[in-house]
Each structure stands twice: as C-alpha cells, then as structure tokens.
Amino acid sequence: MRTLISTAFISLDGVVEAPGGEPGYRNSGWTFKDVEFIPEAFEIKGREQKEATAMLLGRTSYEAFSPVWPDMAEFADYKVMPKYVVSTTLTEDDLVTNWGETTILRSLDEVAALKETEGGPIIVHGSATLNQGLSDAGLIDRYHLLVFPLLLGAGKRLFSTTDKDTQKLRLVEHEVYANGLQKNVFDVVR
C-alpha cells in the first residue's frame, strides 16, 4: 500500500488558506510576510519532492498551482511525476498540457484504490477540502506540518469539524526554529 502524505503550511490556529499569496483571502501570503525566512525550516519541502512518486490535489489547488508550478525551478521534480486531481467537475480539457501526466479521480474511493497500487509515497499539497475528506475517511498516513506562530482567525482549515472518533498520531520528527516556526511530522496510528 502506498503512503499518503498531507503536507501543509498551517497557522497555530489551524488555517491553511492562501499561504503563498493566493487572492481572495484577507491574510493572503502569511507565510512570507509575517514570519522571518529561515531556509533550514523549509528543508522538508525539497525532501518531499525527492521522496514522493505522485502528487494528489483537489480541484481548487490544481487550478491555483497548474498555471504556475510547471515553470518554477524549485518545483522541477513535481513536473515529471504523475499527478491526480480529485474533482467531480474538471474535464480532460481543463488540464494543463505542460505539467506531465495528470489523471482525474472522481471520488475518495478512487483515492483509496490508488493507494492500493504499486509505487511510492503520494504527496498532497494545499487542497483543504480534499484533506478534510481524506482525513475523515482515514486515508492519510502521515502529516508534514510547518506550523507558523500566527493566529489567523477565519480561513480554510486543514482538519474538519466532523464529530468522529479520536485519531491518534505519533510524532516522528520535530524541530523548532528561531523564528518560531515548528516542523512536525506525524504518522497516523492505525
């Protein structure tokens, strides 16, 4: 079974919306304008590209990333790996042609089936709504969280408010940086 890894920039109060400056959110760009940049805190982002063998995105994140990431040198490893987009509305005509092989999945059941295929880790970037569904369905195996020392209030959250049984996590990697940023890597305990 393939490992499904959710990676996120997240505020201390759980917000993941518009960390890189995406339009339409009051605190857009909070990862770079409100916290001093310390390069070593972002080492995990490069490691993720080297370790992942596929990327999974929700429709909104795909539509935000696909016009930009294919031409960014810092995301070169992602350009060549297979991508999967979970959407009930996207069509093949909506997919960009310069970002490698992309497959549309229509349901979380199809994500579960993808996890059963041969291959290495699948990384999920952004995709707040998709992450909530994946977590609630028990499909996420690991979290890579860069926790920013900010309280953003309103905004899309990584975790749903669904009333469910406790889901235990095991901390497998942790580091705190001088700017207050924390790297937390958790495995989901099954």
Side-chain angles (χ1 to χ4, degrees), residues 93-114:
D93 291 339
D94 296 320
L95 301 177
V96 298
T97 58
N98 64 333
W99 206 21
E101 175 191 345
T102 304
T103 303
I104 299 171
L105 304 179
R106 298 294 182 195
S107 68
L108 293 181
D109 287 340
E110 289 187 32
V111 175
L114 174 63

Side-chain angles (χ1 to χ4, degrees), residues 48-139:
E48 288 169 348
Q49 285 189 69
K50 299 295 183 198
E51 294 174 357
T53 59
M55 185 188 307
L56 179 69
L57 298 164
R59 179 195 50 81
T60 302
S61 291
Y62 177 80
E63 289 174 341
F65 298 161
S66 65
V68 181
W69 282 24
D71 297 323
M72 293 179 72
E74 58 264 42
F75 298 125
D77 290 326
Y78 285 138
K79 186 170 184 169
V80 296
M81 74 176 57
K83 280 158 275 314
Y84 298 89
V85 183
V86 181
S87 173
T88 58
T89 58
L90 278 182
T91 67
E92 294 293 324
D93 291 339
D94 296 320
L95 301 177
V96 298
T97 58
N98 64 333
W99 206 21
E101 175 191 345
T102 304
T103 303
I104 299 171
L105 304 179
R106 298 294 182 195
S107 68
L108 293 181
D109 287 340
E110 289 187 32
V111 175
L114 174 63
K115 284 186 61 174
E116 296 292 332
T117 63
E118 293 293 319
I122 303 165
I123 193 95
V124 183
H125 280 278
S127 309
T129 302
L130 176 60
N131 262 290
Q132 291 176 5
L134 293 168
S135 178
D136 289 349
L139 293 173

Side-chain angles (χ1 to χ4, degrees), residues 112-174:
L114 174 63
K115 284 186 61 174
E116 296 292 332
T117 63
E118 293 293 319
I122 303 165
I123 193 95
V124 183
H125 280 278
S127 309
T129 302
L130 176 60
N131 262 290
Q132 291 176 5
L134 293 168
S135 178
D136 289 349
L139 293 173
I140 295 177
D141 301 297
R142 176 173 273 199
Y143 291 95
H144 289 182
L145 305 178
L146 283 178
V147 183
F148 285 72
L150 302 169
L151 300 175
L152 298 174
K156 292 179 184 176
R157 308 253 186 238
L158 183 63
F159 302 104
S160 76
T161 58
T162 302
D163 185 12
K164 59 184 177 187
D165 291 338
T166 300
Q167 188 174 47
K168 293 178 125 184
L169 305 175
R170 181 176 57 252
L171 185 66
V172 295
E173 187 178 339
H174 173 76

